[in-house]
Amino acid sequence: MKPRSVPELGRWASESAIEGGVMKVIVNTLASCVFLLTIWPTDLYAESDWKLFDDPNVGYSFSYPSTWEIKTQRTYAFRIMVADPNGTGSCMLKTNTLPPQIAGLTAEEVIRQTSKQDLINGARQHGTEMNISVFKSTKVANRPAIYYEDASSFQSLNVTIPLRTVNVVTKAGALLYTLSCVTTPEDMERNKSRYTFVLQSLVIRKPSLPW
């Protein structure tokens, strides 16, 4: 079996956290009172440094580094992954279809009712231990969203691979959109502004139900 790269390994930590968070939203309506904060970097990038991934069917788009490649589309785990060809970092977008009782809530209500502990507990239910160091309410594509940073690890045989992930979660219609960027701790420290720029670029044009 071909060894998995860091982006592929990181998929599992991100997937577990998001799926667990959705389940906790369904079963737990604890409100977390978090003020809207600006978390996006002020760094400016040249247009030539970026490519645009645009999905006309689902109606979302986001920018990613021009040297990166599209690795996987529409698997069971995520809709799209873009990754550094050197195997260092990757960003992936996933959508979850919400049950009717959650889909009927506004994006603001869903975001307000999701806490940091919801995400931690949900990841734990899927066998992933993660530490969320930053958890903030913000806006993406002019919609209420959660931004959070987490540290986790992946065990492969006798090797433990540390991972760092930045994530943004928002709701549009009956879908929960999660865009996550995962890499090594060293790369995250060097290029965090690049990864958060990817998150900031997310645009949702055509949700499955009216906003």
Side-chain angles (χ1 to χ4, degrees):
M1 181 179 294
K2 182 181 178 181
R4 294 182 183 275
S5 65
V6 168
E8 291 171 326
L9 295 172
R11 178 189 71 181
W12 302 105
S14 299
E15 176 189 359
S16 297
I18 298 309
E19 287 186 345
V22 172
M23 290 302 297
K24 292 302 291 182
V25 169
I26 296 171
V27 301
N28 191 338
T29 57
L30 292 176
S32 60
C33 299
V34 186
F35 294 101
L36 288 176
L37 298 174
T38 301
I39 52 86
W40 305 123
T42 57
D43 308 57
L44 297 178
Y45 294 91
E47 185 176 351
S48 59
D49 293 338
W50 298 88
K51 291 180 182 178
L52 181 70
F53 179 84
D54 190 347
D55 187 325
N57 296 317
V58 180
Y60 68 85
S61 64
F62 64 89
S63 299
Y64 63 97
S66 60
T67 57
W68 285 21
E69 301 171 347
I70 296 176
K71 292 293 187 180
T72 310
Q73 289 194 67
R74 292 169 179 76
T75 69
Y76 72 96
F78 46 81
R79 285 188 171 273
I80 176 68
M81 174 191 282
V82 292
D84 183 333
N86 296 319
T88 303
S90 69
C91 298
M92 60 214 79
L93 186 136
K94 181 176 181 179
T95 59
N96 294 88
T97 301
L98 298 170
Q101 66 270 31
I102 303 299
L105 300 176
T106 66
E108 184 174 13
E109 288 171 325
V110 171
I111 297 305
R112 187 175 65 246
Q113 294 176 17
T114 303
S115 70
K116 177 170 72 172
Q117 195 60 45
D118 289 336
L119 298 176
I120 293 173
N121 292 344
R124 187 170 294 142
Q125 291 174 1
H126 287 75
T128 299
E129 291 292 333
M130 71 175 181
N131 175 49
I132 296 180
S133 58
V134 176
F135 180 90
K136 300 178 179 180
S137 290
T138 185
K139 283 196 173 183
V140 170
N142 203 32
R143 301 190 57 76
I146 292 172
Y147 168 86
Y148 71 97
E149 303 174 9
D150 70 81
S152 61
S153 62
F154 182 85
Q155 189 72 32
S156 177
L157 298 178
N158 296 323
V159 178
T160 299
I161 302 173
L163 300 170
R164 297 294 183 271
T165 310
V166 292
N167 315 264
V168 67
V169 183
T170 190
K171 174 188 179 292
L175 295 179
L176 192 72
Y177 293 76
T178 303
L179 182 57
S180 303
C181 296
V182 60
T183 187
T184 63
E186 296 77 15
D187 184 53
M188 184 62 76
E189 183 175 354
R190 289 193 303 267
N191 296 303
K192 185 177 178 181
S193 64
R194 178 178 65 180
Y195 292 116
T196 54
F197 189 87
V198 173
L199 304 186
Q200 181 190 16
S201 71
L202 177 63
V203 173
I204 302 172
R205 299 187 308 276
K206 188 180 64 177
S208 57
L209 292 174
W211 289 13

